[in-house]
């Protein structure tokens, strides 16, 4: 079942591009990675899905409901951590979270206490005295305190130290095991690789690839290195990309029948040959070159 469905979604700010003809879906219970550099359209997409802004054209639905027509109803079941967090500086952390919880039915005291303990949040400190990283921790607790069924995370780990990032990832995995669907937007590719089931790559407002991470790494490209006496140009052939010299090695990506590369290699006297899987970051950079 699709929790999120997006069809030809487009947003322009005047003449400036936000996103163009974006189409994808997110399955119930999955952690979907949404990656791209700053300015690619990640935050615009999330704000459209949350009906915080309205599209120029196209459609999007969450839980089978149109996001523009049913925004408030949808948001009651959604948790959201924006890339930048801003709060009332004079409030204490505990007061702010109590105020946030008042927008949702039920008693959330135990839930807030549990999340604050996990994130090592000091409830008696004033917001204005918190570092950026600690404000981000407040945002994480705020986004999860009402037990949402869908969670939007926009650059969630910026400002968190490595130990707290690990605790955050453990917390998100724990929520996901309980059935929470997660939409995880980031430009930190390593964390997407560690956490997500599938990944969508957005470039200049357009989706250029959607795949599960293992397929993206294993099936699309091989990373090949050749050590020996030859010119890098000797490997200019269909399927080869990112061809370059690194020290004494010729390195490139290859998509296609690997036997074609082996046949080309057999024509040279080589000292070593490596064939492996590119990292997600290398694949990502390939789409941007």
């Amino acid at each position: 079942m699709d929790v999120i469905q997006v069809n030809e979604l487009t947003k322009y700010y005047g003449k400036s591009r936000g996103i163009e003809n974006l189409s994808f879906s997110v399955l119930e219970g999955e952690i979907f990675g949404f990656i791209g550099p700053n300015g690619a359209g990640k935050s615009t997409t999330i704000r459209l899905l949350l009906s915080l802004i309205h599209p120029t054209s196209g459609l999007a639905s969450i839980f089978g409901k149109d996001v523009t027509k049913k925004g408030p109803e949808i948001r009651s079941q959604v948790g959201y951590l924006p890339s930048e967090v801003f709060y009332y500086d004079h409030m204490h952390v505990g007061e702010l979270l109590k105020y946030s919880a008042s927008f949702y039915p039920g008693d959330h005291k135990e839930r807030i206490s549990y999340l604050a303990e996990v994130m090592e949040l000091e409830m008696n400190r004033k917001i204005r005295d918190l570092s950026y990283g600690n404000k981000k921790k407040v945002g994480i607790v705020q986004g999860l305190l009402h037990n949402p069924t869908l969670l939007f995370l926009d650059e969630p780990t910026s400002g968190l130290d490595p130990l707290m990032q690990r605790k955050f990832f453990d917390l998100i995995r724990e929520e996901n095991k309980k059935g929470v669907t997660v939409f995880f937007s980031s430009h930190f590719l390593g964390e997407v690789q560690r956490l997500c089931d599938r990944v969508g790559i957005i470039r200049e407002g357009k989706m250029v690839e959607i795949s599960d991470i293992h397929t993206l790494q294993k099936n699309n490209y091989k990373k090949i290195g050749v050590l020996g006496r030859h010119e890098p140009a000797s490997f200019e052939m269909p399927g080869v990309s990112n061809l370059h010299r690194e020290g004494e090695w010729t390195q490139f990506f290859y998509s296609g029948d690997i036997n074609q590369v082996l046949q080309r290699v057999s024509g040279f006297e080589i000292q070593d040959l490596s064939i492996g899987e590119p990292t997600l970051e290398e694949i990502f950079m390939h789409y941007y070159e």
Side-chain angles (χ1 to χ4, degrees):
M1 174 184 170
D2 291 337
V3 170
I4 300 173
Q5 289 184 318
V6 176
N7 185 28
E8 300 293 315
L9 198 62
T10 297
K11 176 64 178 178
Y12 276 91
Y13 301 98
K15 294 183 179 180
S16 299
R17 182 269 306 158
I19 58 171
E20 291 182 312
N21 301 319
L22 214 62
S23 297
F24 65 92
S25 61
V26 177
L27 301 172
E28 183 178 11
E30 79 170 328
I31 303 179
F32 183 84
F34 193 49
I35 61 175
N38 292 329
K42 303 188 301 298
S43 294
T44 293
T45 302
I46 290 175
R47 289 170 186 150
L48 285 166
L49 291 173
L50 291 171
S51 194
L52 300 177
I53 56 176
H54 296 287
T56 305
S57 62
L59 298 171
S61 65
I62 293 177
F63 310 129
K65 303 170 185 177
D66 185 282
V67 297
T68 303
K69 297 176 181 177
K70 301 289 185 179
E73 184 179 333
I74 291 168
R75 287 194 294 271
S76 68
Q77 304 174 61
V78 170
Y80 172 43
L81 176 64
S83 56
E84 299 290 336
V85 288
F86 301 98
Y87 297 120
Y88 300 115
D89 284 349
H90 67 279
M91 295 183 77
H92 290 86
V93 171
E95 291 174 335
L96 177 69
L97 293 175
K98 182 179 179 181
Y99 174 65
S100 299
S102 70
F103 289 93
Y104 304 99
D107 186 346
H108 304 284
K109 289 180 182 176
E110 287 189 15
R111 175 70 168 170
I112 290 173
S113 178
Y114 165 72
L115 293 170
E117 183 178 351
V118 171
M119 298 308 297
E120 299 179 7
L121 202 54
E122 298 178 58
M123 302 290 277
N124 294 321
R125 294 188 66 186
K126 283 195 173 183
I127 297 296
R128 64 169 172 247
D129 297 329
L130 298 180
S131 66
Y132 176 69
N134 280 318
K135 287 180 181 178
K136 210 62 182 281
K137 286 155 64 174
V138 174
I140 291 167
V141 175
Q142 186 182 38
L144 289 167
L145 62 81
H146 59 298
N147 288 296
T149 55
L150 172 61
L151 188 59
F152 285 97
L153 303 171
D154 192 0
E155 305 285 355
T157 62
S158 58
L160 299 182
D161 63 57
L163 181 60
M164 194 51 62
Q165 286 183 22
R166 183 178 298 178
K167 289 190 174 186
F168 169 73
F169 289 139
D170 289 342
L171 178 61
I172 296 305
R173 290 189 187 99
E174 181 182 305
E175 292 298 302
N176 181 244
K177 285 179 182 178
K178 293 191 296 187
V180 176
T181 304
V182 181
F183 188 93
F184 187 101
S185 169
S186 180
H187 64 267
F188 295 113
L189 305 171
E191 63 189 25
V192 171
Q193 191 168 4
R194 287 164 50 195
L195 192 67
C196 298
D197 305 308
R198 288 193 304 145
V199 61
I201 300 174
I202 186 171
R203 173 182 179 179
E204 296 177 355
K206 297 179 179 180
M207 195 77 85
V208 294
E209 179 76 15
I210 301 176
S211 180
D212 71 85
I213 284 178
H214 297 300
T215 299
L216 197 64
Q217 287 182 281
K218 291 182 179 179
N219 296 343
N220 283 15
Y221 295 93
K222 296 296 182 186
K223 182 182 178 181
I224 298 175
V226 183
L227 177 63
R229 294 182 178 179
H230 59 270
E231 293 297 323
S234 305
F235 290 96
E236 290 179 350
M237 55 188 288
V240 169
S241 59
N242 198 28
L243 179 64
H244 66 283
R245 191 82 172 185
E246 193 167 305
E248 297 181 350
W249 287 81
T250 295
Q251 296 192 337
F252 54 91
F253 287 170
Y254 180 72
S255 176
D257 183 0
I258 194 65
N259 290 295
Q260 298 295 321
V261 174
L262 296 177
Q263 186 176 1
R264 184 66 59 93
V265 168
S266 67
F268 304 104
E269 182 180 337
I270 66 168
Q271 296 170 265
D272 202 355
L273 174 69
S274 68
I275 301 176
E277 298 172 11
T279 64
L280 185 60
E281 183 161 2
E282 288 170 325
I283 294 171
F284 178 81
M285 291 310 299
H286 169 77
Y287 280 108
Y288 273 80
E289 290 175 347

